[in-house]
Amino acid sequence: GFSHFMQERTALLNALGGPAATFGGNWTEPSQPVRSALVTGAADTRKQEWVRMIVQWMKSEKGIPIRDDRVFFFDDRDGNVPPFAGTGFNARQISCSSRDDIVGLCGALVAEISEEKGVRDCTRSYG
């Protein structure tokens, strides 16, 4: 229920370093403008739009410019990485060695989290 949902958000927030590390600890819902580095409920295949809005928010509201080539996105779901091609962002599909159809089973392997440039899913790179 809702209590479990809130416990999960709190655990994730704490794992990310708390409110200071996430610039407030507030969660942005899809119907709201970005108001932190945390977004929940972003539609599949449109996550690159939310990443762009977070980068813009960081610059305009926090005075922290982040170059597109220094942004790294990771996702286990098929279809969410290819739309990052042409954005200037880096994106990687994770959990490639353990899959349940379109989603990963185990989360990322340490080796899958890297600062390697480009856009790559489990099967190919995108220009």
Side-chain angles (χ1 to χ4, degrees), residues 80-97:
N80 283 337
V81 169
F84 278 80
T87 64
F89 299 138
N90 303 289
R92 292 281 173 281
Q93 188 172 11
I94 57 169
S95 194
C96 291
S97 62

Side-chain angles (χ1 to χ4, degrees), residues 103-123:
V103 295
L105 287 175
C106 68
L109 298 174
V110 171
E112 292 177 310
I113 306 300
S114 75
E115 292 186 23
E116 183 182 346
K117 303 285 186 176
V119 176
R120 180 166 190 76
D121 67 15
C122 291
T123 61

Side-chain angles (χ1 to χ4, degrees), residues 61-81:
E61 298 300 318
K62 298 298 177 184
I64 301 172
I66 302 171
R67 291 189 344 235
D68 290 352
D69 69 338
R70 297 298 302 151
V71 173
F72 295 85
F73 173 85
F74 301 92
D75 198 308
D76 70 329
R77 187 175 183 87
D78 283 352
N80 283 337
V81 169

Side-chain angles (χ1 to χ4, degrees), residues 4-124:
H4 176 72
F5 174 74
M6 292 307 294
Q7 289 174 346
E8 188 175 80
R9 279 190 177 188
T10 299
L12 184 54
L13 177 63
N14 290 336
L16 293 171
T22 58
F23 300 94
N26 300 311
W27 292 84
T28 299
E29 306 286 340
S31 62
Q32 304 170 329
V34 171
R35 57 190 178 104
S36 79
L38 303 171
V39 172
T40 184
D44 288 326
T45 73
R46 307 215 34 205
K47 294 184 179 188
Q48 71 282 0
E49 297 167 17
W50 286 96
V51 171
R52 173 69 62 208
M53 288 186 278
I54 292 169
V55 169
Q56 291 170 339
W57 178 83
M58 294 288 291
K59 183 177 181 181
S60 67
E61 298 300 318
K62 298 298 177 184
I64 301 172
I66 302 171
R67 291 189 344 235
D68 290 352
D69 69 338
R70 297 298 302 151
V71 173
F72 295 85
F73 173 85
F74 301 92
D75 198 308
D76 70 329
R77 187 175 183 87
D78 283 352
N80 283 337
V81 169
F84 278 80
T87 64
F89 299 138
N90 303 289
R92 292 281 173 281
Q93 188 172 11
I94 57 169
S95 194
C96 291
S97 62
S98 65
R99 311 285 307 155
D100 181 13
D101 195 24
I102 63 171
V103 295
L105 287 175
C106 68
L109 298 174
V110 171
E112 292 177 310
I113 306 300
S114 75
E115 292 186 23
E116 183 182 346
K117 303 285 186 176
V119 176
R120 180 166 190 76
D121 67 15
C122 291
T123 61
R124 63 177 282 225

